[in-house]
Amino acid sequence: QLQLVESGGGVVQPGGSLRLSCAVSGVTLDYYAIGWFRQAPGKEREGVSCISSSGVSTNNADSLKGRFTISRDNAKNTVYLQMNSLKPEDTGVYYCAARRTGHYSNYCQLYGMAYWGKGTLVTVSS
C-alpha cells in the first residue's frame, strides 16, 4: 500500500525559505511521478510542481516564477520541494501526491494523481 507523508512545514517570514519532504513507502519510487499541490485558506487546491519517475522532467506552475524547485532521491524514496523567496500568498497546506507512470518515465503532469498525503502546513507571516 503506497503511503505518502509530508514534513518540513512551519512558520517562516516573508523572503525566507523552507524545504518540504515527501517520504514514500510501500512501493518502489522510480515507477511513480510525484507532485506537490497546495491549498490556501478559502481557495481551491492548485498544482505547484511535479517530477517524473526518471527525475528528468519537471513541470512547475507558471505563477511560481522559479522560486520553487522539486527534486527526488529514489534511493531514499523521498521527494523534496525547495521553496525560496516565500510570500504570504504561499501560505497553505502543501500535499504531495503520486501517480504510477512506469519505470523511469519522463511523464509528469499536475493532474491525475491517484495517491495523496495528508499535508503539511506552511505559514508565511511576519
Side-chain angles (χ1 to χ4, degrees):
Q1 181 73 18
L2 188 153
Q3 291 188 323
L4 304 105
V5 179
E6 303 92 339
S7 62
V11 180
V12 62
Q13 292 188 341
S17 298
L18 279 177
R19 188 177 79 157
L20 305 183
S21 298
C22 174
V24 183
S25 62
V27 297
T28 302
L29 188 58
D30 54 9
Y31 282 81
Y32 290 82
I34 303 293
W36 283 97
F37 298 77
R38 68 184 182 185
Q39 187 166 20
K43 295 188 177 181
E44 293 186 353
R45 188 168 59 195
E46 63 174 345
V48 173
S49 186
C50 69
I51 187 166
S52 63
S53 62
S54 67
V56 172
S57 299
T58 61
N59 190 354
N60 301 298
D62 291 339
S63 60
L64 298 178
K65 296 184 180 179
R67 296 186 295 119
F68 292 6
T69 302
I70 191 170
S71 62
R72 64 192 293 154
D73 186 336
N74 285 354
K76 295 183 178 179
N77 262 29
T78 302
V79 175
Y80 305 97
L81 185 68
Q82 178 67 42
M83 305 187 296
N84 299 326
S85 303
L86 284 162
K87 304 175 181 180
E89 52 263 42
D90 294 319
T91 293
V93 179
Y94 283 69
Y95 302 89
C96 65
R99 174 178 180 170
R100 185 178 173 100
T101 57
H103 196 228
Y104 284 111
S105 168
N106 290 330
Y107 178 89
C108 168
Q109 294 293 339
L110 289 168
Y111 55 81
M113 298 296 179
Y115 306 92
W116 293 84
K118 295 182 178 180
T120 185
L121 178 62
V122 172
T123 303
V124 185
S125 174
S126 56

